[in-house]
Amino acid sequence: GSFDHLYPNEHSFVSVAFTLFEIALALRDLKNASIPIPSEQEKSWDRALRRGASFLLREDETHGFISNHRGGAACALYLMYLSTEEESYKDRAFHFIQTIREKQSSEGWYSEYGGADPGYQTLDTYYQANFYILSNDDETLKRLRSSIQFLIYFVHPDGSVGGEYGSRNCPLYFPSGFELLAPLIPEAETITRLGARGIESGATPDLNSMDIRNFVPMLSSYTQAFMVARKNAKRPPIEHVEPPFDRDFHLFWPEAQCFIHSKGGLYTVLGLSKGGVIKVFDVAQKCLVASMCGYFGRGSNKTHFSNQMLQRADLDEAEWEQGDPQERPPEEETTLRFSSSFFEVNMNRIMTPSRFFLFRLFNLTLGKFKFLNYWVRKNIIVGIFINRRVKIPLTLDRTIQLGNNKIEILDTIKKHNRGLAVKELAPIATFTTIYMGSSKYFRTQELNTFKYGGPLDLKDLNGAKQQVCLEFSIEKP
């Protein structure tokens, strides 16, 4: 009952969840529209859907906790329950929903590989909103409301969403969940308006940017969004709220380790959980002013490293509000200090002909044994290329001063082992350090040129001082 996703004999959980949901939903829409389906064709689809559903009844995803995959499985199984009235499908659907709820942060975000990722949260919303529409489950709507009240802060003035400060670097926007929820949650209607702006301007990767693996669910979300928006257009005007960047405030989420500062027409997103990734937007011009995704370096022993890794930043507690996140009036000048670590970056993640040959050989032989296949996915593909964290004796101490129309940043990079010889180190505007299937899509904002002085002079870092400093400022154009 399973499908392949990335390679042969994969027994992929997510490919069953997503495919089963899309096909079952399409069939449901056809039947609701009284469009006749030939009986033989309907029987054929029914057999395929039941086989896929039986796979989801007995299998689970163990290589990582990915909320959107589980949401897709829950929707698929609930649709099967509605068409067959078999309670086992309904029970399993709520099982997956319950696991999502157990991992959902008190701040509202859904867990994606252990962190908050606004881009993927739009896909979470796609499935959670459909599950609510299908099941009319009040708890699902309550949790969606909390999720969207968090997410609205990460829909930027240009209409883009998320990016490198998220746990999975995802910049994608799936619109239909917000269209479904717009009549019920004012923040959802606001997000639909901002998201449409991002699609129109190219600030958000759209269907023209997708490869096939994301094109299909993205196309489904666009299609449903159009269908629902047409219905919503016949309603009285839907209530919405002003977007956060239209007011002055600052706000810190301790669990997500994200900080928002909105003042003087600049909207700044700071991802401490990713080593201090910074995105600064001009509210009036609706554009990205500056992007600083961290440092990337190379050592003498051919290792590469960066501070842009999912981690817990070391905060100066006196300067960060604790407790429930809430908007606070910004001071005339806000100063923040924190430290982050550097980690090795695996540069062997690109397939070579020999690696590809050996991997295919495994897929077509030993990989046919499901337990071996799952072990390789969990411990090698995900374990090495996504979850692996090897610290190196290098840290970043950052001081940020946020004022009117200007942000000043002082970075001090310290070496804690004289045996480490740093050959090259530079701040980079846009890059990622881990493999992720829904990252690195082109956005028009990347055409902006952000310069931070190029590679650092490493004389002091490798010399007596064992540290190097970089100072730069971001000003409103």
Side-chain angles (χ1 to χ4, degrees):
S2 66
F3 300 96
D4 292 334
H5 181 206
L6 297 173
Y7 47 85
N9 299 315
E10 186 184 1
H11 307 288
S12 169
F13 176 93
V14 62
S15 65
V16 180
F18 287 4
T19 306
L20 186 60
F21 168 65
E22 301 294 358
I23 294 174
L25 185 63
L27 284 173
R28 181 179 172 85
D29 286 342
L30 288 172
K31 291 177 180 178
N32 288 341
S34 300
I35 296 175
I37 304 172
S39 59
E40 284 302 312
Q41 187 178 23
E42 188 171 0
K43 289 177 182 178
S44 174
W45 281 115
D46 183 64
R47 287 194 297 270
L49 291 171
R50 284 180 175 273
R51 287 177 64 195
S54 69
F55 179 88
L56 295 179
L57 285 177
R58 66 179 185 271
E59 299 290 339
D60 205 337
E61 190 170 58
T62 59
H63 65 267
F65 193 90
I66 308 170
S67 292
N68 72 84
H69 292 187
R70 292 172 171 269
C75 286
L77 288 165
Y78 204 88
L79 278 167
M80 291 297 294
Y81 160 71
L82 293 176
S83 65
T84 65
E85 297 186 353
E86 293 184 22
E87 290 290 329
S88 60
Y89 294 142
K90 178 181 178 182
D91 293 343
R92 188 65 167 167
F94 272 98
H95 162 76
F96 285 125
I97 288 294
Q98 185 58 34
T99 63
I100 296 171
R101 291 172 180 173
E102 289 170 359
K103 292 282 188 178
Q104 185 178 8
S105 164
S106 63
E107 297 168 349
W109 46 272
Y110 297 108
S111 179
E112 294 288 339
Y113 275 117
D117 189 284
Y120 264 110
Q121 197 168 331
T122 70
L123 183 55
D124 286 310
T125 305
Y126 173 42
Y127 292 119
Q128 295 288 322
N130 273 282
F131 187 82
Y132 169 71
I133 297 299
L134 293 169
S135 67
N136 199 31
D137 178 62
D138 289 338
E139 181 65 19
T140 299
L141 180 61
K142 174 185 173 182
R143 288 174 176 269
L144 275 165
R145 195 181 305 276
S146 173
S147 167
I148 289 173
Q149 287 169 350
F150 170 86
L151 182 61
I152 194 171
Y153 289 94
F154 302 95
V155 185
H156 312 132
D158 64 352
S160 62
V161 181
E164 292 82 5
Y165 57 77
S167 62
R168 302 184 67 185
N169 311 309
C170 179
L172 304 186
Y173 170 66
F174 292 82
S176 68
F178 306 100
E179 294 286 358
L180 286 167
L181 297 170
L184 304 171
I185 303 174
E187 290 86 355
E189 170 65 9
T190 302
I191 291 176
T192 66
R193 299 178 182 209
L194 296 174
R197 176 191 298 173
I199 294 170
E200 184 179 29
S201 68
T204 290
D206 61 10
L207 289 174
N208 293 315
S209 309
M210 295 295 108
D211 56 357
I212 190 64
R213 63 183 299 203
N214 277 317
F215 179 85
V216 174
M218 182 71 78
L219 177 62
S220 297
S221 184
Y222 273 47
T223 303
Q224 188 181 54
F226 276 120
M227 294 167 65
V228 176
R230 185 169 59 183
K231 293 179 181 178
N232 286 344
K234 299 175 183 178
R235 300 171 181 259
I238 296 175
E239 180 186 359
H240 69 284
V241 299
E242 66 172 8
F245 49 75
D246 280 349
R247 55 187 180 268
D248 288 353
F249 69 95
H250 69 251
L251 173 60
F252 176 59
W253 285 273
E255 289 183 43
Q257 285 213 313
C258 287
F259 181 82
I260 301 286
H261 186 270
S262 180
K263 187 179 181 183
L266 288 180
Y267 193 75
T268 302
V269 182
L270 174 62
L272 286 92
S273 63
K274 292 297 290 291
V277 171
I278 300 173
K279 301 282 184 178
V280 183
F281 296 85
D282 185 313
V283 175
Q285 298 298 319
K286 300 180 177 61
C287 68
L288 182 67
V289 174
S291 170
M292 207 292 205
C293 287
Y295 288 87
F296 191 85
R298 177 174 60 88
S300 58
N301 55 353
K302 296 184 179 180
T303 59
H304 294 78
F305 45 82
S306 175
N307 65 316
Q308 193 214 98
M309 287 278 188
L310 190 62
Q311 57 182 290
R312 298 296 296 181
D314 184 12
L315 310 179
D316 186 333
E317 298 291 347
E319 296 175 357
W320 302 87
E321 295 91 351
Q322 301 300 307
D324 294 333
Q326 56 182 298
E327 291 185 12
R328 302 175 189 271
E331 300 174 0
E332 189 65 27
E333 189 173 85
T334 302
T335 302
L336 307 172
R337 296 181 181 86
F338 65 92
S339 298
S340 62
S341 301
F342 280 76
F343 298 83
E344 286 186 10
V345 176
N346 192 321
M347 300 299 287
N348 295 318
R349 52 189 172 156
I350 305 299
M351 279 290 187
T352 62
S354 58
R355 286 180 195 150
F356 188 80
F357 174 78
L358 291 173
F359 188 54
R360 272 292 181 269
L361 185 63
F362 168 79
N363 296 151
L364 300 174
T365 55
L366 295 176
K368 290 185 176 181
F369 294 97
K370 193 188 300 181
F371 74 95
L372 280 176
N373 204 312
Y374 285 0
W375 187 92
V376 167
R377 178 167 43 192
K378 181 176 182 178
N379 295 283
I380 296 180
I381 298 176
V382 174
I384 293 177
F385 297 111
I386 296 177
N387 290 337
R388 185 172 179 261
R389 299 287 184 272
V390 178
K391 274 189 182 182
I392 68 165
L394 208 64
T395 56
L396 167 69
D397 293 339
R398 172 167 287 176
T399 300
I400 304 178
Q401 289 186 327
L402 301 121
N404 281 322
N405 304 320
K406 188 175 182 180
I407 300 167
E408 295 183 338
I409 299 174
L410 173 63
D411 284 349
T412 302
I413 298 171
K414 297 178 180 178
K415 192 166 68 168
H416 304 284
N417 185 341
R418 289 182 178 272
L420 173 67
V422 180
K423 293 297 184 181
E424 190 173 6
L425 186 63
I428 302 180
T430 304
F431 77 104
T432 64
T433 57
I434 62 170
Y435 165 76
M436 198 54 64
S438 296
S439 65
K440 294 190 174 182
Y441 284 95
F442 172 73
R443 292 164 288 176
T444 53
Q445 60 182 227
E446 293 174 22
L447 295 174
N448 296 333
T449 302
F450 312 109
K451 295 183 179 178
Y452 301 101
L456 303 182
D457 183 347
L458 302 175
K459 180 176 59 177
D460 289 338
L461 184 63
N462 291 322
K465 291 186 178 181
Q466 297 286 289
Q467 66 178 42
V468 63
C469 296
L470 175 65
E471 203 169 348
F472 58 93
S473 61
I474 301 167
E475 297 186 33
K476 185 178 179 183

